[in-house]
């Protein structure tokens, strides 16, 4: 049985209502939420390999308890500027930088 | 229950799932609901009108007309429809002018003048025939001309949240018309009591229902 290859960092989509965003708005309008998910294994630098080692053994030997991320993270590198909608009380709202436009390993 | 049957909510969904429609709609809503801090006004009506015209110019009618003419069977739906153009900014004004004065202001602007003339032609009621709209009952031309008035001085809108007995009107009245009372009410009735426009809007909803049933 082959090991499953992890999916690389990419933009994903999910259809949901504004109420489901958890931002405190009550609106049944449906939108497409875009977000970033996946692995960034191929983007590791010597810095990341070193940090991986340091967190496991190196820091302890030197008396440090620092927590350091040991690899790049899959995060938005650009956001959709704004999204406007009408809530269930017929008021209009605009939220900024709520949905991802592009993803990157940073 | 209403959540399950709100054609205006469906129209918003269709728009939000289309990148261009979503962007253009967000642009006009953000502009029209933004307070004009310089002048202490509710908003900048000029900017709001421009954003609305851009939305209607750039977004195909399959999205924009669906938002404007969604066929409502409840007050909640009709209120959502009425709020589509952010009327607090784009429609209402501090004072309600006389409609002839309102028309005079519109005619001073070349864009408003030509679009109003367009509306008068395409939504003209033709009493001599069985059909209600000009050119073999061209409902589409009437709806397009109506939509093109949005974002001009003569911006029309639904006057309230009634769904069974709705009325559209520009923001004006015939109070204080003096001896021009008849001319004023004839002009206003081109919006409030127009069989061609009424049938076109109702047929739009009917057409959508048919498409969904297929």
């Amino acid at each position: 049985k082959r090991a499953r290859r992890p999916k690389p960092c990419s933009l994903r989509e999910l259809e949901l209502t504004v109420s489901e965003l958890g931002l405190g708005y009550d609106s049944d309008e449906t939108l497409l939420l875009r977000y970033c998910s996946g692995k960034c294994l191929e983007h590791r630098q010597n810095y990341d390999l070193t940090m991986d080692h340091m967190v496991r053994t190196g820091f302890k030997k030197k008396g440090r308890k620092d927590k350091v991320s040991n690899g790049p993270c899959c995060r938005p590198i650009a956001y959709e500027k704004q999204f406007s909608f009408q809530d269930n009380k017929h008021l209009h709202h605009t939220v900024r930088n709520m949905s991802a436009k592009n993803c990157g390993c940073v | 229950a209403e959540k399950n049957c709100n054609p205006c909510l469906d129209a918003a969904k269709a728009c939000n799932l289309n990148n261009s429609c979503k962007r253009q709609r967000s642009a006009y809503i953000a502009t029209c609901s933004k307070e004009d801090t310089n002048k202490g006004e509710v908003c900048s009506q000029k900017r709001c009108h421009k954003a609305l015209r851009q939305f209607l110019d750039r977004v195909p009618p399959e999205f924009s007309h669906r938002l404007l003419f969604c066929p409502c069977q409840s007050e909640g739906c009709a209120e959502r429809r009425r709020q589509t153009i952010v009327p607090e900014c784009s429609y209402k004004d501090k004072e309600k002018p006389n409609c002839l004065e309102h028309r005079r202001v519109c005619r001073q602007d070349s864009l408003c003048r030509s679009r109003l003339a367009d509306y008068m032609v395409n939504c003209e009621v033709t009493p001599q025939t069985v059909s209600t709209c000009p050119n073999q009952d061209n409902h589409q031309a009437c709806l397009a001309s109506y939509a093109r008035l949005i974002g001009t001085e003569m911006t029309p809108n639904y006057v309230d949240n009634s769904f069974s007995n709705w009325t559209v009107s520009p923001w004006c009245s015939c109070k204080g018309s003096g001896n021009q009372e008849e001319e004023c009410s004839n002009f206003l009735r081109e919006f409030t009591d127009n069989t061609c426009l009424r049938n076109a809007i109702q047929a739009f909803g009917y057409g959508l229902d048919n498409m969904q049933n297929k």
Side-chain angles (χ1 to χ4, degrees):
Chain A
K1 198 177 172 185
R2 274 172 67 187
R4 198 186 292 168
R5 193 187 294 165
K7 279 186 185 161
C9 175
S10 62
L11 194 65
R12 318 275 168 97
E13 292 178 346
L14 183 65
E15 223 178 83
L16 37 72
T17 67
V18 174
S19 297
E20 291 175 300
L21 291 171
L23 291 172
Y25 297 109
D26 177 27
S27 170
D28 293 329
E29 265 192 42
T30 305
L31 78 156
L32 206 57
L33 178 70
R34 295 199 168 95
Y35 61 97
C36 299
S37 181
K39 295 280 183 193
C40 286
L41 295 174
E42 285 141 43
H43 292 78
R44 295 218 289 179
Q45 306 289 329
N46 283 330
Y47 171 85
D48 299 306
L49 301 178
T50 305
M51 284 305 129
D52 193 20
H53 176 74
M54 293 304 283
V55 168
R56 275 189 282 119
T57 59
F59 281 149
K60 259 181 222 152
K61 278 184 196 158
K62 305 285 178 189
R64 294 267 170 106
K65 290 172 184 169
D66 295 347
K67 287 204 169 94
V68 182
S69 75
N70 60 359
C73 294
C74 181
R75 292 277 305 164
I77 51 172
Y79 295 94
E80 281 175 23
K81 190 178 133 207
Q82 60 184 6
F83 172 70
S84 302
F85 61 93
Q86 200 183 120
D87 71 18
N88 290 346
K89 286 188 172 132
H90 308 291
L91 298 170
H92 289 95
H93 302 278
T94 298
V95 286
R96 287 172 205 284
N97 298 346
M98 176 257 295
S99 205
K101 202 161 130 191
N102 285 304
C103 303
C105 293
V106 291
Chain B
E2 185 189 301
K3 192 174 162 182
N4 299 326
C5 182
N6 185 333
C8 294
L9 211 45
D10 295 341
K13 176 179 175 178
C15 180
N16 289 344
L17 297 184
N18 176 279
N19 279 333
S20 157
C21 190
K22 176 179 65 177
R23 200 162 358 99
Q24 295 294 335
R25 175 172 178 249
S26 293
Y28 87 71
I29 292 178
T31 306
C32 297
S33 53
K34 188 179 169 195
E35 205 179 321
D36 192 356
T37 41
N38 281 338
K39 296 171 186 165
E41 300 275 339
V42 190
C43 67
S44 163
Q45 195 184 62
K46 207 177 156 185
R47 284 195 199 129
C48 170
H49 277 174
K50 192 181 173 195
L52 274 166
R53 291 200 306 272
Q54 278 185 354
F55 169 75
L56 293 161
D57 280 349
R58 295 177 185 178
V59 172
E62 57 181 295
F63 295 113
S64 57
H65 285 193
R66 214 173 148 186
L67 283 164
L68 292 172
F69 308 120
C70 35
C72 286
Q73 295 297 327
S74 71
E75 282 184 2
C77 175
E79 179 62 9
R80 174 170 267 277
R81 180 172 67 181
R82 189 179 80 84
Q83 291 290 346
T84 300
I85 63 167
V86 197
E88 282 299 317
C89 181
S90 68
Y91 183 62
K92 277 190 185 168
D93 229 324
K94 279 171 209 153
E95 278 165 28
K96 208 169 197 175
N98 179 275
C99 290
L100 293 179
E101 169 63 15
H102 200 50
R103 186 176 69 179
R104 198 181 60 76
V105 173
C106 171
R107 283 177 174 172
Q108 280 171 354
D109 177 68
S110 60
L111 185 90
C112 191
R113 183 174 60 231
S114 73
R115 291 188 174 190
L116 180 60
D118 207 37
Y119 170 79
M120 291 301 191
V121 170
N122 288 318
C123 299
E124 192 188 17
V125 182
T126 47
Q128 66 272 33
T129 57
V130 274
S131 63
T132 53
C133 283
N135 303 323
Q136 283 98 44
D137 255 342
N138 193 342
H139 290 158
Q140 208 48 48
C142 174
L143 292 183
S145 304
Y146 173 92
R148 277 158 55 81
L149 275 178
I150 293 168
T152 70
E153 201 60 43
M154 199 51 77
T155 298
N157 198 23
Y158 301 88
V159 298
D160 57 29
N161 65 1
S162 166
F163 63 93
S164 52
N165 191 22
W166 50 267
T167 310
V168 295
S169 168
W171 184 254
C172 66
S173 79
C174 281
K175 269 183 199 156
S177 294
N179 62 358
Q180 290 181 300
E181 177 76 44
E182 197 184 338
E183 191 187 350
C184 184
S185 57
N186 282 344
F187 172 70
L188 185 56
R189 276 208 303 271
E190 296 279 352
F191 293 90
T192 57
D193 189 17
N194 184 322
T195 327
C196 164
L197 178 67
R198 178 160 298 274
N199 288 352
I201 291 179
Q202 252 141 16
F204 181 86
Y206 183 72
L208 260 187
D209 287 347
N210 276 354
M211 274 190 325
Q212 280 161 354
N213 289 340
K214 268 177 193 168

